[in-house]
Amino acid sequence: MAEYNLEKQHAKGKLHAIERINALCDKDSFMEIYADARHQCTNFGMEKKEIPYDGVITGFGTINGKKVAVYAQDFTVQGGSLGKVHGQKIAELIAKAIEIKCPVIGVNDSGGARIQEGVDALCGYGDIFYQNVRASGVIPQISIVAGPCAGGAVYSPGLTDFIFTVDQISHMYITGPKVVKQVMFMDISDEDLGGAAIHSQKSGVAHYRCNDEKECYEKVRKLLDYIPHFYGDSQTAEGKIKFDARHKAKHINTILPEISTKGYDIHEVINDVTDDDSFFEVMAEFAQNAVVGFAKIEGKTVGIVANNPGYLGGVLNCDASDKIARHVRFCDCYNIPLLNFVDVPGFIPGPQEEQKGIIRHGAKVLYAYSEASVPKVTIITRKAYGGAYIAMCSKHLGADFVYAWPKAEIAVMGAEGAIGILYAKEADPAVKAQKGQEYRETFMTPTIAAQRDYISAVIQPEETRARIVQSLTLLENKTGSDKVCRKHGNIPL
């Protein structure tokens, strides 16, 4: 049993690597491996210094009774810096996890590459990156950033499926504040350059931001209750299913505003059709015009994708497109059915998004849904306009069932925009208003789409849960295209 310097880490206000592992794993379940692997370090001609367990603790345990592979870098040993042996330990752990089919959880707390090892340290990073890619789409990979991550150290988390950060502890950047100051003459703090809030709200690198380490480990354990532990892992409903059908059926009819241009919170719709208190959102602070996450329907996991009219009207922009595409591809990798809620006025117009590449980012959504062979059920709650209607898992992109609420509007664009183009020369407002009403009745009603076989059925809001359950039951044994090579849900295109 190795000796750990807990006091040194506690002085920084952080848990020690072994304490982090124990907080993640079920009690007394962790089995350490490669504890005796270490590098004899020579510091530029100075005395040789042995590095205990080479600064990283690796092994296997269980979470909620299921096996997991875990590693945690120890900042009290050489600043958690990564050398060749350190990298080999992590890479071999991932390789073994692929072999025995279990998720990998990495706790990152490192000063970066071990400079005194030179190119050998870079070899260690390369070995890890290679195994990260091998594991992609085969076993879930979860990264916890519990300290600094700089340079090459950020790319392993970047290759994994989920990144958890902790306020005031997590820092991720390609180049740190000192280098930024030297090269760009800018004074910036660790927090402002790559803190938890930055990556949760602005960059979209982080999937979860937690107040403290305890909350972080609890959320990781919760996530593992929702996702399969390997490709091919079957989902089974466990425990008693809770769903307040009476209350939710009554509430769902009150959600849509009378005025079609007014926003509302799509979370209310999601919560009214999924099992009670089961929605577990992913990337909640980033691109809030799109909502993604996991929920339970009759005790089984579904992947949720939704437009949120309560934020930017629910439009699709570059960030929302990336967020949706990534989540769709993860769900497709692990055979998680997709449940989509559509209320989208279109892709966002304007030079800012065009210059950021909305065409390229929006194409990721089209690609992800078209590629996905898992069960796909879509609910159009209100607006579904133009290319965004197609992109949000329409029948045209392979949705198995598409349902629309009676107030749904499915068209190339809204009535005002259409009349503005079709009757641009008409000066009489009354005529335009009349034509607008005719356009709504002729082109925009869900009945028109249903008659053309683009909609499976027009349903009342209170019927939504029942339709979803019936549809997913019918699709349980759906067979999609034969995927010889599993595609990764993390970095599409």
Side-chain angles (χ1 to χ4, degrees):
M1 182 71 178
E3 293 184 7
Y4 305 116
N5 192 341
L6 273 61
E7 290 76 15
K8 186 175 179 181
Q9 187 77 336
H10 291 170
K12 297 177 180 291
K14 302 192 291 185
L15 296 179
H16 187 274
I18 193 63
E19 293 175 312
R20 289 165 169 166
I21 289 173
N22 289 333
L24 277 166
C25 295
D26 299 337
K27 188 177 180 181
D28 299 326
S29 70
F30 181 66
M31 178 188 77
E32 187 175 358
I33 59 173
Y34 309 136
D36 294 326
R38 61 199 65 193
H39 178 73
Q40 292 284 343
C41 178
T42 303
N43 293 320
F44 298 106
M46 297 173 67
E47 79 283 354
K48 285 189 175 181
K49 185 177 181 181
E50 189 177 83
I51 303 173
Y53 47 89
D54 216 76
V56 62
I57 303 170
T58 55
F60 293 90
T62 63
I63 291 180
N64 305 321
K66 292 186 175 182
K67 61 189 176 186
V68 293
V70 186
Y71 70 85
Q73 295 175 313
D74 185 350
F75 199 81
T76 70
V77 178
Q78 295 277 305
S81 58
L82 187 142
K84 183 176 181 181
V85 173
H86 184 126
Q88 282 178 335
K89 287 179 67 174
I90 296 173
E92 289 177 20
L93 182 77
I94 299 171
K96 183 59 67 176
I98 296 170
E99 217 177 299
I100 65 177
K101 296 182 178 179
C102 72
V104 174
I105 305 167
V107 185
N108 298 270
D109 188 0
S110 170
R114 197 171 294 158
I115 298 171
Q116 58 268 35
E117 288 196 33
V119 71
D120 282 343
L122 303 181
C123 167
Y125 276 128
D127 289 343
I128 296 170
F129 302 159
Y130 180 74
Q131 295 301 335
N132 284 143
V133 174
R134 282 192 66 230
S136 179
V138 180
I139 54 172
Q141 300 178 84
I142 297 171
S143 294
I144 298 167
V145 179
C149 263
V154 299
Y155 284 114
S156 178
L159 287 167
T160 61
D161 299 303
F162 300 97
I163 297 176
F164 287 75
T165 59
V166 182
D167 278 332
Q168 306 304 316
I169 289 179
S170 305
H171 298 113
M172 301 176 71
Y173 29 65
I174 299 298
T175 51
K178 291 181 180 178
V179 177
V180 170
K181 185 173 182 179
Q182 289 173 352
V183 176
M184 304 185 70
F185 309 104
M186 289 176 58
D187 279 314
I188 190 167
S189 67
D190 288 293
E191 201 64 29
D192 290 336
L193 183 61
I198 293 296
H199 289 307
S200 295
Q201 298 169 358
K202 294 187 177 182
S203 72
V205 169
H207 297 77
Y208 294 96
R209 177 165 70 108
C210 308
N211 294 315
D212 53 40
E213 289 197 61
K214 181 182 178 182
E215 180 190 342
C216 178
Y217 305 131
E218 287 174 352
K219 281 190 173 181
V220 171
R221 290 175 63 90
K222 183 175 180 179
L223 175 64
L224 287 170
D225 262 345
Y226 281 81
I227 62 176
H229 279 219
F230 56 89
Y231 168 63
D233 187 14
S234 60
Q235 293 190 65
T236 55
E238 297 179 5
K240 187 178 180 181
I241 297 162
K242 294 182 179 179
F243 182 74
D244 190 345
R246 193 171 181 179
H247 169 75
K248 290 187 173 182
K250 184 177 179 181
H251 179 260
I252 200 169
N253 280 304
T254 68
I255 294 174
L256 288 189
E258 289 296 323
I259 303 172
S260 65
T261 54
K262 189 175 180 181
Y264 62 94
D265 188 355
I266 198 65
H267 292 86
E268 293 188 58
V269 177
I270 296 168
N271 290 330
D272 279 350
V273 300
T274 56
D275 295 354
D276 292 352
D277 302 317
S278 73
F279 182 48
F280 190 43
E281 193 168 355
V282 178
M283 301 177 79
E285 297 182 281
F286 179 71
Q288 295 178 48
N289 39 318
V291 173
V292 303
F294 302 102
K296 300 278 187 179
I297 299 280
E298 297 286 292
K300 294 184 179 181
T301 298
V302 294
I304 300 291
V305 179
N307 309 114
N308 186 17
Y311 191 89
L312 297 180
V315 295
L316 288 178
N317 57 8
C318 292
D319 288 342
S321 297
D322 288 350
K323 179 177 175 177
I324 290 170
R326 177 171 178 157
H327 191 65
V328 168
R329 298 194 89 199
F330 176 84
C331 291
D332 187 43
C333 278
Y334 292 98
N335 289 332
I336 300 172
L338 286 162
L339 178 56
N340 310 278
F341 296 93
V342 179
D343 189 342
V344 61
F347 284 94
I348 193 168
Q352 184 176 359
E353 289 294 313
E354 293 289 359
Q355 290 165 17
K356 284 175 65 178
I358 185 63
I359 298 170
R360 173 168 50 89
H361 293 274
K364 294 180 183 182
V365 181
L366 297 168
Y367 191 101
Y369 275 124
S370 299
E371 175 193 45
S373 61
V374 294
K376 294 179 281 189
V377 178
T378 297
I379 312 295
I380 300 175
T381 61
R382 196 172 59 174
K383 297 176 183 176
Y385 293 166
Y389 149 68
I390 301 171
M392 285 301 299
C393 203
S394 61
K395 181 184 176 181
H396 322 295
L397 297 191
D400 296 292
F401 295 104
V402 180
Y403 302 108
W405 287 0
K407 292 184 178 180
E409 302 173 358
I410 306 168
V412 175
M413 62 179 67
E416 292 78 10
I419 297 306
I421 294 171
L422 295 173
Y423 295 91
K425 296 181 180 180
E426 177 59 61
D428 189 342
V431 173
K432 282 192 172 183
Q434 181 187 349
K435 294 297 182 182
Q437 188 58 34
E438 290 175 5
Y439 180 85
R440 289 185 184 90
E441 294 172 358
T442 306
F443 295 104
M444 297 180 69
T445 69
T447 305
I448 303 298
Q451 289 171 351
R452 285 162 173 72
D453 197 27
Y454 304 148
I455 301 294
S456 305
V458 180
I459 62 173
Q460 296 299 323
E462 66 268 23
E463 297 177 69
T464 306
R465 161 84 177 197
R467 282 283 185 163
I468 292 169
V469 171
Q470 290 173 328
S471 300
L472 292 177
T473 300
L474 287 168
L475 295 167
E476 275 183 342
N477 299 317
K478 177 187 174 184
T479 55
S481 57
D482 183 23
K483 294 183 179 178
V484 177
C485 176
R486 299 304 301 163
K487 293 183 175 66
H488 186 34
N490 188 9
I491 309 174
L493 302 182

